[in-house]
Amino acid sequence: MNVIEPAGGQTTLLLYEYVNPDALEGIIEASAEKKSDIEVRFTVEDYLVTVRSNGRILIYEPLKAKQ
């Protein structure tokens, strides 16, 4: 696993500032109960975060703006 430095000298990043973790957990648990796959995507700072029902969490670096 690679760890990224927080943006702009930030020392902490709290998930609940961007998404309701209880709601996210509820969505993932409901999909597991129904035996269906689900993927939830949202952005934190400029990073794309993907949470999959199989427990995998992916964080993608921001794309550089075309000039």
Side-chain angles (χ1 to χ4, degrees), residues 5-14 17-18 45:
E5 290 293 324
Q10 189 172 326
T11 57
T12 60
L13 183 67
L14 303 175
E17 292 176 347
Y18 297 89
E45 297 297 321

Side-chain angles (χ1 to χ4, degrees), residues 15 18-32 36-44 47-60:
L15 181 62
Y18 297 89
V19 65
N20 181 328
D22 293 330
L24 180 59
E25 183 177 7
I27 291 169
I28 299 301
E29 286 177 358
S31 74
S36 63
D37 293 327
I38 193 167
E39 182 174 279
V40 178
R41 295 179 181 189
F42 53 93
T43 57
V44 175
Y47 293 85
L48 173 64
V49 178
T50 302
V51 179
R52 295 183 178 164
S53 55
N54 65 2
R56 177 170 254 165
I57 299 172
L58 305 167
I59 302 172
Y60 298 94

